Amino acid sequence: MECLSKRLIRLPVLVTVFVLSNTQPGLSDPAQDLNTAVASFNAAPSSDTAAILGERILNLGSQGDWDVLAAIDLTVTTALIGHLPPDLAAEVLLFTAQAEGLTDQGDDRQPLIALSDRFANIALSDDQKRVFDINLGYVLVQTGDLDQGVQRLDRARQMAEAEGRAEDLLNLCGLASNTLHRVGAITQAAAFYDACAEGSVLNQTPLLDRGFFWHNYALFLRDQGSFDLAVEYHVIALTDLADVFGLPSPQVVDAYDGMSQTLLAKGDLGGADSVASLALGYSEELGQQQTQPAHWRVVNNAAAIKRALRRPRQALDLDEAAYVWRKEHLGEAHPMTYASWLNYALDLVELEQWEDALPQFVGLYRRIEAGEPVPYNRRVITAYLLYIDARQKQREGAVFKMPSVGDLVRDGAPGELIEGLIDLSVQAALAKDDLEKATETAKWLSDFMVDAVPPDHPAQTNANLRHAELLARQDPKAAADLLVTIDRDLFNWTRRQALSGSYDASIAARALTDDLLLTMVRLAETSPAFQPHVAEALHRWKTLEAPTDRALRDVVLTASDQSLGAAARDYLLAAGRFQETVRAEPVTDAIAIMDQALTAQRVALNERLQAAGLQLAEPPLAPLEQGASSAFDVTRGDLVIDLFVLRDWTVPDRAGWSRQMELYAAVYREGAPPTVQQITDLDFATASATDVYAGLWDALGPWLFEQAEGAERVFISPDAMLFQMDLLEARDAKDRRLGEVHDVYLLSDRGAYSRHDKNDQLDAEDAVALVGGVYFDNRKEEGPNYLPGSLAEVTGIADLVKSKAKTVQSLSGFEATEDRVAAMAGGAELVHLATHGFFRANDEAPFSLWNSGILLSHDGPPATVSSFREQTAYAQEIMGWDLGNVELMVLSACESGVGPNTPIDAVRGLPLALARAGARRSLVTLVEIPDQQTVDIMMQFYRYLGEEKLPYADAFLQTKRDVWAGRIDGVSPYFARAFVLYTH
C-alpha cells in the first residue's frame, strides 16, 4: 500500500490559506481589543485611528478569529477603508469577507462584496483591481459561495487569455483549479482545468512551470476516472519538464512516477510497469536512493504494479529494500515505514510463504493495539491472520469460518485478500460436493471485481475464469459463452500489454492466456460445437492478430490494383516495426514520431480501401469487438496443423516459465470443421529435459503420421520450443521421417498458409542478391573469422542462377557493409547471405531483438575486431530493412534461426526480424554446421531452384531428402536438421 504520486506544486499563492487558532491563555481579549479600536475610530476617524483598527483586523484574520471579525458593522468597514491606504484597505476587505462567509453572525455578506467592488473600481489600479478580484474569488470559493467565486476567477482567466498574459494565466489556472478541487468543487474544478488546458495561450507559450500544471491536471483527470486523457497530459507534462529540468531530474522522476500510477489505475499494467522502470532508473541515476525518501515512494509504487501483475517475487525485492531503508532513516514508527512493512507482508502472502507471513501480521496487529499508524485497521489485519491460518491448515481438512466480507470491503481491504477468502469458500463448498454454492460464490467474486478493479484487470480475468471453470460442470453452453467474452477482453488487454515494453506484463498476459486456453480446450473436449472457436483462438493468440489485420493481408495477396496491394503491404510492415519498437522503447519522442507517420499512412490507405469497398485498416491497438471464429479455407488434399504449447501455471510466483506444459493442435481439413486435439504432456518438473524431449518426439511423430495419412500436402505451424526443432525429422513407429514420406512445409503462423503458393519460385524477372567472402578484419582471408567456403558458396550460386534470373549482384570483402547489403537486398526477390550468425541469451532483456544478428564488414580497411558492434547487423536493425520484394531470404549463417522462447513471440530473433521487414520466406539454421558441408547443401538447393525450376519449399524439401539419403557426398544425414524453411 502506498500513496499515489504527490502533486507537483510550484505555483505562487495569491491568497493566504487561513488556519484556525485559539487565543492563547494570558493574552488580552481580542474582542475587547477590537471594540476599543472601533470605538476610538468612531470617536475620531483619522488615518491614525484607522491604521490601529486595520492592524487589529489583520491580526484577528491571521489568527482565525472569524467570529470576532464578523461582529464588525458594515458601516464601520465602509468608513474605515476611506481612511486606509489602498493595499491595507484591500486586505481588510478580504479578511472581513472571509469572516462573513465562515460564521453565522454576519448578514452583511452581499453588501460587503458590493462595497469591495466599488472600492476596487475607485481606489485600485487595473493591475491591483485584477489581483484583488482574483483574491476575492478565492475567498468566496473557500467560504462556500462557489457561483460568485468561480464567476470572478473565470472572468480573470478569460481576461488573461485575451490579453496573452501567460505567466498570470498559468498562476491563476494552477491555484484556482487546485483550490476548487481542495474544497470539493469537483465539477467546477474540472471546468476550470478544461478551460485552461483548451486555451491557446498556455499551449503556445513555453513557461518554466507549465509542466507542473499539466502534471496536476493529469492527476486530477485520473482521480475523476478520465484515464486516457490523463495519460495524454502526463506525456505533455513529461515533455515540458524534461525540456526545462533535463534528464534525469527529480521533477521528471516524480512525473514518471505519477504517470505510472495513472496507468495502474487505468489497468494498463504493462505501460505502468515500463514507466515505473523509467522512474526507478532515473532516480537511481540521480543517487536518490541514498538520501531521498521520494525514491522509496517510487520503489513502493513500482512494487504495487508488480503485485497487480501477479509478480510477487519482484514486488518482494522492492518492498523489502524500501522497508529496510525507511526503518533505518525514518524510524520504525513512521507511517511510511509501516506502509512498507505491510507491503512486504502482502508479498509474502502472495508468494504463499505462510510461515514467513504470519509473524509479520502478528507484529502489525500488535502495533495496531498500541495505537500505531498501520495502514489497515484491526479487522483487516485479523482477517489476514485468519486467512494465513486457514491456508496452513487447508490440507488437514480444517473447517474454514469466513469473516464478514462486506465489512472488509467497507474497510478498504485489498482485493487480493477478498479473492483469497472467496477461493477458500469455493474450495470448502467443493469439498462438500456443493457445486451450486461454489459456483454462486465464484460468481459473486466475479461481480465484485467489476467495481473493485479497472476493466480487463488480471484479477477480474482470474475471477471470471474461476467462475467459468465451475460453470462448465453445470451448464457448458453458458460456460462457453462466458469464455468467449473472457477471450475477447483478455485478447484486447494482452495486445496492449504486448506493446508496453514490459517483460513482466508479457509473462502475466501469457499466464492468463494459458489459464484461459486450458479452460477452453478442456471444455471443447466435451463440447464439439465449441471447437471451431477454440481453434480460432489458438491461432489468434499465437499471432495477436485481429481479423482486420488478416483482411489487410488478403488485400496484399488478392488486390487487382497492384499499387493498392503495395500500399497495404507497406502499412503492414510499418505497423509491425512500430509494434516492435514500442515493445522496446516506451514513452519516447521517436515513438511519437513513428505513431504520427503511421497514422498518416493509415489515413491515406483507408481512403483507397474505402473507395475500393474494402475493410479499413485499424490502429495497432484497435480492440477486437467480438471473439467469434472466422472462416479458414483449406485446399482439397491439404492438411494444416496449428500446434500450441499451453503451460499450467500452478506456482504463485510466475517468475519464470512453467515447468508443466501440454501440447495441443488445431487440425484443419477441406470441407470439415477444425478439431482441437491434445497430443502429449511435457512435464519438465519431474523429468530431465532430455527425457521430456525424447517423450515429445515419441508422441509427436506417430500423431503427425496419423494425421497426415491421405493428405497430399502437410502444413505445420509450430509453437514455442517446436520452432527450434526440425519437425520434418519427426518419425513414426517404423523410424521413417515425416519429410521423407509426406510433402511437409513449415509456416511461421497459420495465416502464412494462404501465402505459401504466392510467387513461390525463381522467375526470369527476379533479381538475386548474394553476399559471401566477407572480410571481418584487416587480415582479410587470413583473419580467424573468415569463412573461405562462403565465397565459393555465393560464386557457385551465381553460376547456377545467372541464366535463370534477370540480374545477379554480389558483395564480398570490405564491400559487404550493412548499408550496402540492405540496399542491395531491398531491390531483390532472392537474397542469400553467407556469413556468421549469432544468438546471445540475455536475462535482462530476453525478448530484445538486439540479442541476435549477423556479422558483416566495415566500410573498408583498416577494419578491427574491436569494433564488433559497427560491423554487426542486429535483428533489431534488420527489421528496418526494406525486404518487401524478397520472396526468399537465405541466412546461411550459424544459429540464424535460434532465439529465446518468450511469451511474446515464438522465436524472437532473426526469423521474426525478417518477417517484420517483409520477407515472405526465410531459410535459416538451427545448429552449427561445417563450412564445406554448408556449401554442398546450398549448391544442391540452388540446382533444384535453377535447373529443375522447383518452387522454393519443394527445392528445400528435395534437398533435405538428398541429405537423408546420402546423395550429397561428404554431407552427413545429421546435418539435414540444421536448416529449416518458413513461409511468413
Side-chain angles (χ1 to χ4, degrees):
M1 180 182 181
E2 185 68 41
C3 296
L4 295 177
S5 180
K6 64 183 180 183
R7 296 184 178 273
L8 305 179
I9 301 296
R10 283 281 303 273
L11 305 171
V13 178
L14 300 179
V15 66
T16 305
V17 178
F18 302 106
V19 180
L20 296 175
S21 63
N22 297 318
T23 304
Q24 299 181 30
L27 298 180
S28 59
D29 182 6
Q32 182 177 344
D33 288 347
L34 179 64
N35 290 334
T36 300
V38 169
S40 298
F41 174 75
N42 285 335
S46 68
S47 57
D48 291 336
T49 56
I52 294 172
L53 178 55
E55 182 181 355
R56 294 286 188 275
I57 291 173
L58 296 187
N59 287 338
L60 289 169
S62 63
Q63 294 173 10
D65 284 327
W66 308 117
D67 289 335
V68 176
L69 274 180
I72 299 177
D73 189 77
L74 180 61
T75 57
V76 175
T77 305
T78 303
L80 175 63
I81 61 174
H83 291 80
L84 292 174
D87 56 344
L88 183 58
E91 290 187 79
V92 166
L93 286 169
L94 290 173
F95 272 126
T96 52
Q98 185 85 1
E100 289 286 343
L102 290 174
T103 66
D104 295 329
Q105 297 183 30
D107 51 9
D108 295 332
R109 173 83 156 183
Q110 292 307 319
L112 183 60
I113 293 172
L115 172 63
S116 300
D117 288 336
R118 290 196 301 272
F119 159 79
N121 288 328
I122 296 172
L124 300 179
S125 67
D126 288 342
D127 285 344
Q128 289 174 326
K129 183 168 63 174
R130 175 175 51 80
V131 173
F132 178 78
D133 199 38
I134 291 172
N135 279 310
L136 185 55
Y138 286 129
V139 168
L140 293 169
V141 166
Q142 291 172 330
T143 56
D145 194 344
L146 286 175
D147 290 342
Q148 287 199 71
V150 171
Q151 184 180 16
R152 289 173 183 272
L153 294 175
D154 194 56
R155 182 171 62 210
R157 179 195 62 76
Q158 293 180 46
M159 290 177 60
E161 179 81 32
E163 296 169 7
R165 290 183 281 105
E167 286 284 356
D168 291 342
L169 181 63
L170 177 63
N171 292 338
L172 173 63
C173 285
L175 189 56
S177 302
N178 194 52
T179 300
L180 289 165
H181 189 197
R182 191 175 63 247
V183 301
I186 303 302
T187 301
Q188 293 83 349
F192 210 91
Y193 264 127
D194 293 345
C196 291
E198 292 168 3
S200 61
V201 173
L202 282 189
N203 283 285
Q204 297 174 6
T205 310
L207 297 167
L208 181 66
D209 289 337
R210 186 177 63 175
F212 296 109
F213 172 75
W214 298 134
H215 179 81
N216 290 339
Y217 184 36
L219 296 184
F220 175 83
L221 290 167
R222 176 187 70 199
D223 293 343
Q224 309 314 310
S226 299
F227 299 122
D228 290 337
L229 189 58
V231 172
E232 288 183 24
Y233 278 98
H234 274 301
V235 174
I236 295 171
L238 278 165
T239 301
D240 269 11
L241 293 169
D243 287 345
V244 172
F245 299 101
L247 288 172
S249 62
Q251 295 82 1
V252 170
V253 169
D254 282 343
Y256 270 123
D257 182 46
M259 183 176 181
S260 75
Q261 295 302 292
T262 296
L263 291 167
L264 173 61
K266 180 186 175 186
D268 187 355
L269 304 188
D273 190 48
S274 292
V275 174
S277 296
L278 290 172
L280 271 177
Y282 284 136
S283 186
E284 290 171 355
E285 191 174 339
L286 291 167
Q288 290 188 326
Q289 66 270 34
Q290 305 300 325
T291 59
Q292 296 299 317
H295 171 80
W296 299 101
R297 183 199 71 244
V298 175
V299 169
N300 270 166
N301 285 341
I305 297 168
K306 299 295 187 186
R307 267 196 305 280
L309 285 168
R310 303 301 171 98
R311 305 286 277 164
R313 177 64 59 188
Q314 288 87 338
L316 181 70
D317 292 341
L318 293 168
D319 284 326
E320 185 174 17
Y323 178 41
V324 169
W325 188 91
R326 283 172 166 173
K327 187 175 181 181
E328 178 181 349
H329 292 84
L330 302 180
E332 186 172 345
H334 194 280
M336 288 296 97
T337 304
Y338 280 121
S340 287
W341 185 5
L342 177 62
N343 290 336
Y344 173 65
L346 295 176
D347 296 334
L348 292 172
V349 169
E350 289 300 298
L351 285 166
E352 298 183 7
Q353 295 181 10
W354 312 121
E355 293 183 359
D356 296 326
L358 181 60
Q360 305 303 325
F361 280 97
V362 169
L364 288 166
Y365 183 86
R366 290 172 178 166
R367 296 301 191 280
I368 290 176
E369 292 290 289
E372 297 291 337
V374 175
Y376 288 121
N377 64 21
R378 181 186 290 104
R379 183 157 43 207
V380 173
I381 300 301
T382 300
Y384 265 110
L385 290 169
L386 292 172
Y387 176 66
I388 293 169
D389 181 65
R391 286 297 191 190
Q392 287 179 309
K393 296 177 179 178
Q394 191 172 14
R395 292 184 179 179
E396 303 171 6
V399 177
F400 172 63
K401 184 178 180 181
M402 172 73 101
S404 172
V405 174
D407 289 341
L408 292 173
V409 171
R410 284 187 288 274
D411 290 341
E416 294 88 349
L417 175 59
I418 305 299
E419 184 179 1
L421 292 170
I422 294 299
D423 181 65
L424 280 174
S425 296
V426 169
Q427 293 185 41
L430 290 175
K432 297 178 181 179
D433 294 325
D434 193 345
L435 179 59
E436 184 176 352
K437 181 178 180 181
T439 306
E440 289 177 356
T441 305
K443 176 65 165 56
W444 181 92
L445 179 62
S446 179
D447 293 341
F448 165 76
M449 286 297 177
V450 171
D451 296 324
V453 297
D456 306 334
H457 191 281
Q460 177 72 71
T461 303
N462 275 328
N464 291 343
L465 276 174
R466 184 62 163 150
H467 179 217
E469 290 170 3
L470 296 169
L471 190 60
R473 304 185 195 182
Q474 297 177 298
D475 187 344
K477 176 62 171 63
D481 292 342
L482 177 57
L483 287 170
V484 168
T485 300
I486 300 171
D487 178 28
R488 179 201 62 204
D489 293 344
L490 180 58
F491 180 77
N492 290 333
W493 183 82
T494 299
R495 290 227 300 175
R496 295 197 302 271
Q497 309 321 304
L499 296 186
S500 69
S502 166
Y503 186 66
D504 280 339
S506 296
I507 289 285
R510 180 58 201 243
L512 286 168
T513 301
D514 284 327
D515 291 345
L516 166 67
L517 293 177
L518 279 171
T519 304
M520 293 175 72
V521 296
R522 288 166 183 165
L523 178 59
E525 290 174 358
T526 58
S527 302
F530 191 45
Q531 291 201 9
H533 180 91
V534 176
E536 180 66 21
L538 290 173
H539 163 66
R540 182 163 27 81
W541 280 106
K542 283 175 69 171
T543 62
L544 292 183
E545 259 192 356
T548 52
D549 301 323
R550 295 197 290 276
L552 202 56
R553 295 192 187 281
D554 290 340
V555 172
V556 177
L557 294 175
T558 63
S560 57
D561 182 345
Q562 293 185 355
S563 66
L564 176 58
R569 181 204 64 191
D570 292 343
Y571 175 75
L572 285 169
L573 294 178
R577 294 187 185 111
F578 173 77
Q579 292 177 38
E580 292 302 325
T581 304
V582 172
R583 287 173 175 177
E585 303 175 18
V587 197
T588 65
D589 291 339
I591 285 177
I593 294 172
M594 287 183 70
D595 187 31
Q596 292 173 0
L598 187 65
T599 299
Q601 191 175 358
R602 184 172 59 254
V603 169
L605 174 61
N606 280 340
E607 289 179 357
R608 301 186 63 183
L609 291 171
Q610 187 172 28
L614 298 172
Q615 188 169 358
L616 303 185
E618 293 187 343
L621 290 180
L624 180 69
E625 294 299 330
Q626 59 184 4
S629 59
S630 59
F632 178 71
D633 296 326
V634 177
T635 302
R636 181 180 296 276
D638 286 351
L639 170 71
V640 179
I641 298 174
D642 198 8
L643 298 172
F644 206 100
V645 176
L646 299 178
R647 295 157 181 82
D648 186 3
W649 300 84
T650 56
V651 292
D653 178 29
R654 300 177 168 189
W657 283 116
S658 166
R659 305 290 293 169
Q660 294 178 315
M661 309 176 190
E662 298 177 21
L663 176 60
Y664 286 85
V667 181
Y668 300 85
R669 291 181 172 86
E670 189 269 338
T675 60
V676 177
Q677 305 177 37
Q678 182 180 8
I679 300 173
T680 188
D681 293 327
L682 305 171
D683 190 354
F684 289 92
T686 59
S688 68
T690 300
D691 290 342
V692 172
Y693 277 104
L696 171 58
W697 281 117
D698 289 344
L700 182 59
W703 185 88
L704 287 171
F705 269 90
E706 178 184 352
Q707 300 301 315
E709 186 68 30
E712 297 175 12
R713 298 192 301 178
V714 179
F715 296 86
I716 304 175
S717 172
D719 187 35
M721 76 287 287
L722 300 175
F723 269 103
Q724 299 179 78
M725 298 165 58
D726 182 9
L727 297 182
L728 279 67
E729 292 272 356
R731 305 192 184 208
D732 66 358
K734 299 177 182 179
D735 205 33
R736 298 179 300 173
R737 295 181 179 88
L738 184 67
E740 290 177 308
V741 179
H742 298 281
D743 291 346
V744 183
Y745 310 98
L746 299 180
L747 310 172
S748 59
D749 66 85
R750 190 198 70 179
Y753 170 73
S754 62
R755 301 185 287 275
H756 175 80
D757 296 329
K758 181 79 171 179
N759 300 327
D760 63 342
Q761 62 188 102
L762 185 62
D763 187 87
E765 295 299 314
D766 288 347
V768 177
L770 307 172
V771 175
V774 177
Y775 290 162
F776 301 114
D777 57 54
N778 59 357
R779 286 166 288 183
K780 302 182 180 179
E781 292 90 343
E782 303 302 321
N785 294 321
Y786 182 72
L787 296 171
S790 66
L791 183 58
E793 183 178 331
V794 297
T795 301
I797 292 171
D799 290 338
L800 289 169
V801 301
K802 62 184 179 183
S803 63
K804 313 299 180 183
K806 184 175 182 179
T807 61
V808 177
Q809 291 181 287
S810 298
L811 289 174
S812 60
F814 289 122
E815 293 180 336
T817 63
E818 181 179 347
D819 289 344
R820 289 172 182 159
V821 171
M824 183 177 68
E829 281 76 25
L830 193 159
V831 181
H832 184 105
L833 307 182
T835 182
H836 286 293
F838 67 89
F839 164 70
R840 296 192 178 107
N842 180 358
D843 292 338
E844 293 297 319
F847 56 90
S848 173
L849 293 179
W850 295 100
N851 295 335
S852 59
I854 57 175
L855 204 59
L856 296 172
S857 184
H858 288 282
D859 289 333
T864 60
V865 178
S866 62
S867 53
F868 173 81
R869 184 176 181 86
E870 296 176 17
Q871 66 185 118
T872 301
Y874 291 92
Q876 181 72 31
E877 297 170 320
I878 291 174
M879 185 177 65
W881 293 6
D882 182 5
L883 303 181
N885 291 322
V886 176
E887 299 298 339
L888 174 64
M889 168 69 83
V890 180
L891 289 185
S892 182
C894 292
E895 299 183 324
S896 56
V898 177
N901 182 19
T902 77
I904 301 177
D905 286 296
V907 177
R908 291 193 60 78
L910 288 164
L912 174 66
L914 294 174
R916 286 281 189 249
R920 291 176 178 83
R921 298 168 188 83
S922 62
L923 196 166
V924 294
T925 60
L926 299 178
V927 298
E928 294 185 3
I929 180 172
D931 197 15
Q932 186 55 50
Q933 297 205 26
T934 299
V935 174
D936 294 337
I937 291 174
M938 287 299 169
M939 289 303 98
Q940 189 74 334
F941 172 63
Y942 280 95
R943 286 189 191 98
Y944 284 122
L945 281 184
E947 296 176 359
E948 302 295 332
K949 296 184 179 181
L950 291 181
Y952 297 120
D954 290 324
F956 175 75
L957 178 59
Q958 190 57 51
T959 302
K960 268 187 174 291
R961 288 171 174 169
D962 288 345
V963 176
W964 286 326
R967 291 192 287 265
I968 303 178
D969 292 341
V971 178
S972 166
Y974 171 83
F975 288 115
R977 72 191 62 195
F979 298 94
V980 290
L981 187 151
Y982 284 102
T983 300
H984 301 300

